[in-house]
Amino acid sequence: GSEMPSRRISIGTVVGNCTIKDEVSISAFTNQAQHCRASALKIFKELFKLFPKTFFGRWPLVLDFQSGDSSRPSLAKGGSLPMMMAICQQDPSPRVRTAGMMAITALLEAPNVKNWPVPLERGPPNTGSYTSLADQVAMTLRQSHDLSFELMKRSSPADAQAGLRAIADLVACTPYSKLR
């Protein structure tokens, strides 16, 4: 992987009138930050599994569809990715990308997705400002598949493993007969 050089920085902490200087390595901060991001995504995964109906009804908020942030990366088919998927694509840590994919697949494993009562895609993609929940679910399923295949193409074994695991989970929860 890409490891940062072990540089040392000095952090001053003021306690009363005294200043305490601590020498801390940048790599320790990087590891702690990666651990924090991965842990947060693992918590989301557990919440999605524990309360699928609660999060399913708030799909746009969880995945951040409406932010309109054009600075986020996109998959080959165009359009910016929802924040959680952007994390899976561009976070520098394979551990964080893996935790992100696991959180997304946990959300997609909600019983409501597999048992969707109507077709998820009814016609050409919606170009208006409103996107129905069915269209958002279909878009998320397609983007999740694309992202999983993209992870499998990367050189990191952790990414390939995360991609394979995500594909296995997606195959189990995707109602293919409801997609175009």
Side-chain angles (χ1 to χ4, degrees):
S2 60
E3 299 212 6
M4 295 186 69
S6 184
R7 296 184 202 142
R8 302 196 73 70
I9 58 174
S10 181
I11 299 174
T13 307
V14 177
V15 179
N17 292 334
C18 301
T19 301
I20 303 168
K21 298 263 183 179
D22 292 326
E23 294 284 325
V24 182
S25 71
I26 290 176
S27 63
F29 278 129
T30 303
N31 287 339
Q32 287 177 348
Q34 289 173 359
H35 179 72
C36 183
R37 292 190 312 271
S39 294
L41 290 165
K42 288 176 184 176
I43 289 169
F44 270 114
K45 178 189 105 175
E46 293 304 318
L47 288 172
F48 295 158
K49 285 185 174 206
L50 286 171
F51 306 105
K53 291 180 182 179
T54 301
F55 286 102
F56 188 80
R58 292 163 181 83
W59 194 281
L61 295 174
V62 172
L63 288 174
D64 187 31
F65 273 93
Q66 303 300 326
S67 72
D69 186 355
S70 60
S71 66
R72 288 204 191 121
S74 62
L75 295 169
K77 295 180 181 173
S80 65
L81 288 173
M83 183 180 2
M84 241 183 196
M85 289 190 184
I87 290 169
C88 297
Q89 187 182 46
Q90 78 180 64
D91 195 277
S93 168
R95 180 173 33 169
V96 175
R97 292 190 299 266
T98 299
M101 276 312 297
M102 290 171 53
I104 290 170
T105 56
L107 181 64
L108 291 169
E109 288 173 352
N112 299 25
V113 174
K114 188 72 172 173
N115 302 319
W116 196 263
V118 296
L120 287 167
E121 298 171 305
R122 296 184 191 141
N126 188 354
T127 57
S129 62
Y130 173 76
T131 304
S132 71
L133 182 59
D135 288 335
Q136 290 173 359
V137 171
M139 185 183 336
T140 302
L141 287 166
R142 291 190 181 285
Q143 288 176 334
S144 297
H145 281 76
D146 291 344
L147 188 56
S148 298
F149 286 121
E150 181 185 307
L151 285 174
M152 288 192 304
K153 292 178 188 176
R154 293 190 179 180
S155 61
S156 166
D159 283 338
Q161 183 179 9
L164 283 170
R165 183 182 210 172
I167 287 294
D169 292 343
L170 289 169
V171 164
C173 69
T174 301
Y176 292 104
S177 62
K178 309 273 175 144
L179 295 170
R180 281 191 277 135

